[in-house]
Amino acid sequence: MYLAPEARIADYESKGWWRGITVDELLKETLAGDHAELAVIDPSNREALDGVAPGRLTWEEFDERIDRLAASFHQLGLRKDDRIVAQLPNTIDAVLTLFASARLGLILSPVVMQYRKHELGHVFEKVEPAAFVTIPSFHDFDQAALGTQLCKAHGAQLLMFGDAPDGATSLDDAMQDADRDALARYRAENPVSAGEVFTICWTSGTESQPKGVPRNHNHWVLNGDVMVEATAMKSGDTILNPFPLVNIGSIGGLMMPWLRCGGTVVLHHPFDVGVFLTQLQQEKVSYTIAPPAVLGALLKQPELLEKFDLSALRTVGSGSAPLSPWLIEGWKERYGIEIANIFGSNEGASLFSNLQSVPDPVERARYFPRFGARDADWDGMTATIMDSRLVDPATEEEITEPGKVGELRLGGPMIFDGYWRAPEMNATAFDSEGYYRTGDLFEIAGPGNRFYQFQGRSKEIIMRGGVNISPAELDDLIVGQPQIKEAATVGVPDERLGERIAVAVVPHEGEEPKLEDITAWLEARDIAIFKRPEFLVIVDALPRNAMNKVVRDELREMVVARL
């Protein structure tokens, strides 16, 4: 299935920006070249996640397991361009599902484990999957029951790793008898092209429901090249992946560069500082990612870090919130570890400050090189392939001088081709020159005006622990609570998570809603736990503009003042 125009594919491939190979072909390149012995290592606590003992696969075992799973999918009737939704913890099975989908030519739509009926129902309606891939249970939640209900309602197969209930198929069993020769014949007759859609990941914005972000094989292969440049990864590096395989941060930021370098990827789930540090030491990890709050908290606990040998760790990628010079300087001076400042989005936004491009730690914390700007020269592949500019969102005039805040607009082969089945969103997602409207506010700054400095988000999303949460979605749900007349949610600052969710409510006369009333209301509607507010403020009225829209910046100030 193609979403990228034929002319764009031909243009980018002729320039060498898109390599014209699929993710599976990149895997075959890695297998044929020099690579580490081990490909993938399970979380050390996997048994607590899904009851399966942790595993380790060599690259050859990994390839065979991928082939067996792809053959199982084919034997179960799945065909090229079929969509599948996967809700899996960060284990080897999730990695196998990603690459088996690439081999058969399926379109994979991965979702976080926290999604419940509300979020999954929206994904199923949009994607219309042929199958749902999950596990029987997770943290005492009955995944099988939810999967059975969704698949029955939407006419999808229920496929499970582990023991499958009646009406579902065990992929573990299917892989034992998979016809790999039939798979090979089918693939020869139905080749996958690099310009075809491979994944649909989900992101939240100001809209009331998550948006599907399709990316093709070319996008993902290029993503690996960009991240190798951003993080200075080396051939055979061991990478620790603490994020589930559901978005560009994990798939593009870790899995694709791991594949590109032929190293070893160590999986981690859920995030646990003790397990994280232990894995860094035991597996001799050279690169990982962590949010600024975690890096800052660890830096303030030297007595904890002294218990672990982190000498193999060269670089840590961080982002999702502004970094501080203190943090970058501290990790470098005390432990010899470089922090790469990375800004990105599922849509393909990508800016980074690393040791090579911005050696000064103060500048690296504050600024991003203006890659792709017409009046700023930078070396490297990313700067060459990217187009960027700042635009006054009120006037649409381009900003070329420092001292004025504008919206970052991006173009080039990293940027997606439009949201999945959302023409109304796509009509406003790109500007008149074809640049993607990121919704993020920057200013031209730094020495020689060669940098962008982050100033905030023009979109109203809440960023909790690196995950985007739509306030509009929560508003629509909460306002139905019987005690409430009006409600609006905002993000409030938090040192550990970046932001937490607060809700301001205008109650009906005589009502006194409590926070637990709101969370119980959302729980009854199967809303993911991470979306439920953690603070409640009672207000007489919500601040609104002349168009009767809630002014969230003003509301945020009101809420913070009362917490």
Side-chain angles (χ1 to χ4, degrees), residues 94-111:
V95 183
L96 293 172
T97 300
L98 178 74
F99 286 95
S101 298
R103 184 159 296 180
L104 182 55
L106 302 177
I107 299 174
L108 174 66
S109 187
V111 297

Side-chain angles (χ1 to χ4, degrees), residues 386-397:
M386 188 184 218
D387 291 317
S388 71
R389 64 188 188 128
L390 289 190
V391 173
D392 185 325
T395 66
E396 287 297 303
E397 293 181 1

Side-chain angles (χ1 to χ4, degrees), residues 143-260:
Q143 294 282 144
L146 175 60
T148 299
Q149 185 179 7
L150 287 165
C151 289
K152 183 177 181 181
H154 294 273
Q157 290 190 69
L158 180 57
L159 310 179
M160 287 192 169
F161 290 100
D163 296 329
D166 291 342
T169 298
S170 167
L171 288 170
D172 295 312
D173 292 342
M175 288 170 69
Q176 300 300 317
D177 304 317
D179 189 342
R180 297 168 66 187
D181 291 335
L183 171 68
R185 291 192 296 272
Y186 177 81
R187 292 181 63 222
E189 296 168 359
N190 299 272
V192 181
S193 169
E196 295 186 81
V197 177
F198 173 34
T199 59
I200 304 170
C201 296
W202 296 89
T203 188
S204 293
T206 56
E207 297 79 12
S208 61
Q209 292 285 1
K211 298 171 289 189
V213 181
R215 291 181 73 76
N216 61 44
H217 290 263
N218 271 321
H219 281 134
W220 285 121
V221 172
L222 175 59
N223 224 134
D225 294 337
V226 167
M227 289 308 299
V228 168
E229 181 178 50
T231 61
M233 289 187 200
K234 299 178 181 178
S235 178
D237 270 351
T238 298
I239 299 166
L240 176 56
N241 180 5
F243 292 164
L245 276 65
V246 297
N247 59 22
I248 199 168
S250 180
I251 300 173
L254 289 157
M255 303 308 293
M256 290 301 119
W258 155 70
L259 183 61
R260 168 84 161 64

Side-chain angles (χ1 to χ4, degrees), residues 335-517:
Y335 305 104
I337 297 170
E338 296 289 351
I339 306 298
N341 190 3
I342 300 171
F343 167 86
S345 74
N346 276 312
E347 290 86 351
S350 183
L351 296 175
F352 58 82
S353 291
N354 60 11
L355 174 64
Q356 291 71 34
S357 61
V358 190
D360 181 82
V362 174
E363 292 181 357
R364 199 187 315 163
R366 293 176 178 169
Y367 306 133
F368 294 99
R370 292 175 62 206
F371 290 152
R374 295 162 187 160
D375 58 343
D377 266 343
W378 287 94
D379 295 329
M381 179 196 66
T382 307
T384 302
I385 67 174
M386 188 184 218
D387 291 317
S388 71
R389 64 188 188 128
L390 289 190
V391 173
D392 185 325
T395 66
E396 287 297 303
E397 293 181 1
E398 187 166 348
I399 297 169
T400 58
E401 299 294 332
K404 188 173 183 180
V405 175
E407 181 186 28
L408 181 66
R409 306 278 176 88
L410 295 174
M414 282 290 293
I415 301 301
F416 78 138
D417 298 297
Y419 296 108
W420 177 259
R421 294 181 175 175
E424 69 290 346
M425 293 181 187
N426 292 329
T428 58
F430 301 90
D431 66 19
S432 59
E433 294 190 26
Y435 285 72
Y436 166 59
R437 304 173 186 265
T438 66
D440 294 287
L441 302 178
F442 285 80
E443 184 177 348
I444 296 172
N449 296 331
R450 300 178 69 230
F451 297 90
Y452 290 128
Q453 185 171 22
F454 181 70
Q455 298 294 328
R457 293 192 301 275
S458 61
K459 294 180 180 178
E460 297 167 342
I461 56 173
I462 299 168
M463 183 72 80
R464 184 186 187 278
V467 178
N468 289 355
I469 298 168
S470 166
E473 177 188 12
L474 293 178
D475 296 353
D476 291 346
L477 292 163
I478 294 171
V479 77
Q481 206 270 354
Q483 297 171 284
I484 293 173
K485 182 179 180 181
E486 290 185 298
T489 49
V490 293
V492 295
D494 180 78
E495 286 188 4
R496 187 172 68 87
L497 294 173
E499 288 183 312
R500 291 183 184 270
I501 304 170
V503 58
V505 303
V506 179
H508 286 297
E509 187 174 351
E511 296 288 353
E512 296 183 4
K514 303 291 190 297
L515 179 62
E516 51 266 33
D517 297 324

Side-chain angles (χ1 to χ4, degrees), residues 42-55 65 89-94 96 135 138 161-162 172 267 269:
D42 257 329
S44 54
N45 60 329
R46 174 167 181 177
E47 196 156 5
L49 300 179
D50 62 2
V52 177
R65 290 276 291 276
N90 201 19
T91 64
I92 285 176
D93 290 339
L96 293 172
I135 56 177
F138 184 74
F161 290 100
D172 295 312
L267 304 172
H269 191 134

